[in-house]
Amino acid sequence: MKTYLVGGAVRDALLGYPCSERDWVVVGATPDNMLQLGYQQVGKDFPVFLHPETKDEHALARTERKQGHGYTGFAVHCDPAVTLEEDLVRRDLTINAMAQDETGAIVDPYGGQRDLQARVLRHVSEAFIEDPLRVLRTARFAARYAHLGFTVAPETLALMSDIVRQGELAHLPAERVWVEMQRALGERNPDIFITVLRGCGALRALLPEVDALFGVPQSPQHHPEVDTGLHTLMVLQKSALLTPAADVRFAALLHDVGKGVTPEAEWPRHIAHEHRGLPLVRAACSRLRTPNQYRDLALQVCEFHLLCHRAYELRGKTLLKLLRGTGALRQPERFEAFLLVCEADARGRAGSEQSAYSQSAYLREALQLILSVNAKTLMAQGLGGKALGNAITAEQTRLLDVMRLEHR
């Protein structure tokens, strides 16, 4: 029985990159051996055990054989005779197929260290094509390590394209797709995740609403980058620079999907794209089964981001509609998230990357104004019910109109 540190912990240690998870492979052991040593079994499909003290995951060395669709369609074989090399060959990328023994020596049968030095994400074997989840995982690793110069090997991208063409992505559970997407949105360069998915055809299968944006022109006066898909990538990357919050980044990704259904005769204008986009955002969130907070923020951004950009022009009535529609009064933290996406949108354009976005401060001032309206004072005047509500709205609108004039 011999234990090896494997996977991400080895990879990131060699890169000098932070890693919080430590996974282990145990060679030459049986489940009974592990239980006798005090390990707790947690794996259902194959034996995985938690260390009695560190709680690190220890998996018995295993081999796999494809027998169905999706990422769970495998027959797993665990046996003390399975070697470390046989276990490592079933992994996705060479940089994830290295191990380290108790002396610190690196076991690298498939060239992981070579590919680390070359900054290449390369599949270990042709078995890569058997697991469609690897399409998303590879794109996620590309997003994580893009700033270090990593790219996907052409032959690996070709296998990813084959997986897409075979329709294997359709067999992935929505929940599993969302887990990978959510993690990718949290990486340093989430725009690279989208770029890699598009490069192998997976974006069309997973997020057709976003894929449809590429090749759709916008007015060069407002968007020197012209292509709506390119603008979306720029907004996504700008959002990543502004916040680590994945819900903000997701809303940035979907904010302009309405432009993907603008009739070509109307190009490069996209009148009412914010309203055309709402059913598309709902469809994407339903298909991916996103958490409600992701869906709600994405819908608010889609519907109201243009009003946010035009904040200084808005009369009090429309400004109040914007503040209420974005939930600013009830959920100020979501309103701040909304403002971040709008800032990313404004700055995610060629030549505007460093521009200030004063609309955020203006809208925060507007919010404080309407919160200052005291319902109790109006109630003391004998107002109640609908009359009270109308009076509050009228006073809030008046204050916002005064503020607008003061800022002219």
Side-chain angles (χ1 to χ4, degrees):
M1 176 174 168
K2 196 168 184 179
T3 301
Y4 297 87
L5 182 66
V6 293
V10 178
R11 174 197 69 226
D12 287 339
L14 292 172
L15 279 175
Y17 202 82
C19 181
S20 58
E21 296 182 0
R22 291 166 63 86
D23 295 320
W24 306 80
V25 161
V26 182
V27 177
T30 66
D32 285 343
N33 295 149
M34 302 299 286
L35 295 173
Q36 290 169 6
L37 291 171
Y39 286 77
Q40 177 185 356
Q41 184 168 349
V42 294
K44 296 179 181 178
D45 298 324
F46 50 84
V48 176
F49 301 83
L50 298 182
H51 189 280
E53 297 177 4
T54 67
K55 304 304 178 183
D56 287 348
E57 286 193 359
H58 287 61
L60 298 186
R62 66 187 187 270
T63 59
E64 296 174 346
R65 180 172 54 84
K66 183 75 169 178
Q67 63 175 18
H69 293 290
Y71 81 106
T72 58
F74 293 91
V76 176
H77 173 66
C78 293
D79 188 278
V82 175
T83 67
L84 177 63
E85 289 73 15
E86 288 173 325
D87 180 274
L88 294 176
V89 76
R90 66 178 176 77
R91 296 174 184 266
D92 50 7
L93 303 173
T94 60
I95 65 170
N96 297 330
M98 297 179 288
Q100 186 178 50
D101 67 18
E102 68 275 5
T103 70
I106 302 297
V107 182
D108 180 18
Y110 305 108
Q113 292 177 96
R114 173 202 63 210
D115 285 340
L116 280 180
Q117 293 172 355
R119 299 298 195 249
V120 172
L121 301 174
R122 191 192 318 276
H123 61 282
V124 177
S125 72
E126 293 299 312
F128 178 93
I129 202 169
E130 296 178 353
D131 184 355
L133 192 64
R134 290 174 172 176
V135 172
L136 286 92
R137 280 177 51 84
T138 302
R140 176 165 61 82
F141 282 120
R144 176 182 298 179
Y145 298 122
H147 69 288
L148 298 179
F150 277 83
T151 58
V152 181
E155 59 271 28
T156 301
L157 194 64
L159 289 183
M160 293 163 66
S161 298
D162 288 343
I163 292 172
V164 174
R165 279 194 296 270
Q166 292 169 11
E168 280 288 320
L169 294 182
H171 297 284
L172 288 175
E175 294 84 357
R176 197 66 188 90
V177 172
W178 174 247
V179 166
E180 286 297 325
M181 189 167 292
Q182 186 177 37
R183 294 180 69 182
L185 288 169
E187 299 291 1
R188 184 161 176 164
N189 290 93
D191 56 309
I192 299 298
F193 175 72
I194 300 300
T195 299
V196 172
L197 290 184
R198 181 168 178 258
C200 67
L203 187 61
R204 184 179 298 108
L206 299 171
L207 271 177
E209 301 84 359
V210 175
D211 188 71
L213 298 176
F214 290 89
V216 174
Q218 302 168 105
S219 168
Q221 177 185 355
H222 301 292
H223 290 277
E225 70 283 354
V226 180
D227 188 282
T228 308
L230 176 58
H231 166 64
T232 297
L233 293 178
M234 295 174 70
V235 174
L236 179 56
Q237 181 53 21
K238 183 59 67 175
S239 72
L241 294 174
L242 292 174
T243 177
D247 58 344
V248 170
R249 299 178 183 193
F250 182 67
L253 178 63
L254 297 184
H255 81 285
D256 262 353
V257 291
K259 293 180 178 179
V261 294
T262 300
E264 290 188 26
E266 298 179 15
W267 290 354
R269 303 179 69 194
H270 296 277
I271 299 172
H273 75 272
E274 64 275 26
H275 300 295
R276 287 173 172 160
L278 292 175
L280 300 179
V281 171
R282 291 191 184 96
C285 292
S286 175
R287 187 173 58 254
L288 295 171
R289 299 184 186 177
T290 64
N292 290 345
Q293 72 180 72
Y294 285 77
R295 179 202 61 207
D296 294 346
L297 179 60
L299 286 169
Q300 288 172 351
V301 168
C302 181
E303 183 174 3
F304 293 108
H305 68 279
L306 287 188
L307 286 182
C308 186
H309 297 331
R310 295 175 47 230
Y312 289 107
E313 308 169 21
L314 303 181
R315 296 184 181 277
K317 182 179 180 180
T318 307
L319 195 51
L320 183 59
K321 173 187 174 183
L322 168 61
L323 293 170
R324 288 178 172 176
T326 54
L329 290 80
R330 294 173 285 102
Q331 296 177 301
E333 68 287 345
R334 181 176 293 166
F335 182 59
E336 287 299 321
F338 168 82
L339 293 177
L340 282 174
V341 185
C342 292
E343 179 179 352
D345 182 28
R347 296 173 61 188
R349 298 176 295 157
S352 300
E353 293 87 350
Q354 305 304 321
S355 299
Y357 192 69
S358 59
Q359 288 92 329
S360 294
Y362 181 77
L363 289 173
R364 291 189 188 102
E365 180 183 347
L367 176 59
Q368 292 308 309
L369 264 184
I370 64 173
L371 289 174
S372 71
V373 175
N374 193 327
K376 291 182 179 179
T377 301
L378 296 172
M379 291 171 66
Q381 299 174 16
L383 296 174
K386 185 176 180 180
L388 175 62
N390 290 338
I392 291 174
T393 296
E395 178 61 12
Q396 290 175 333
T397 302
R398 185 189 71 80
L399 291 174
L400 292 175
D401 279 327
V402 170
M403 184 188 79
R404 175 173 174 263
L405 293 174
E406 289 176 346
H407 278 270
R408 278 187 168 181

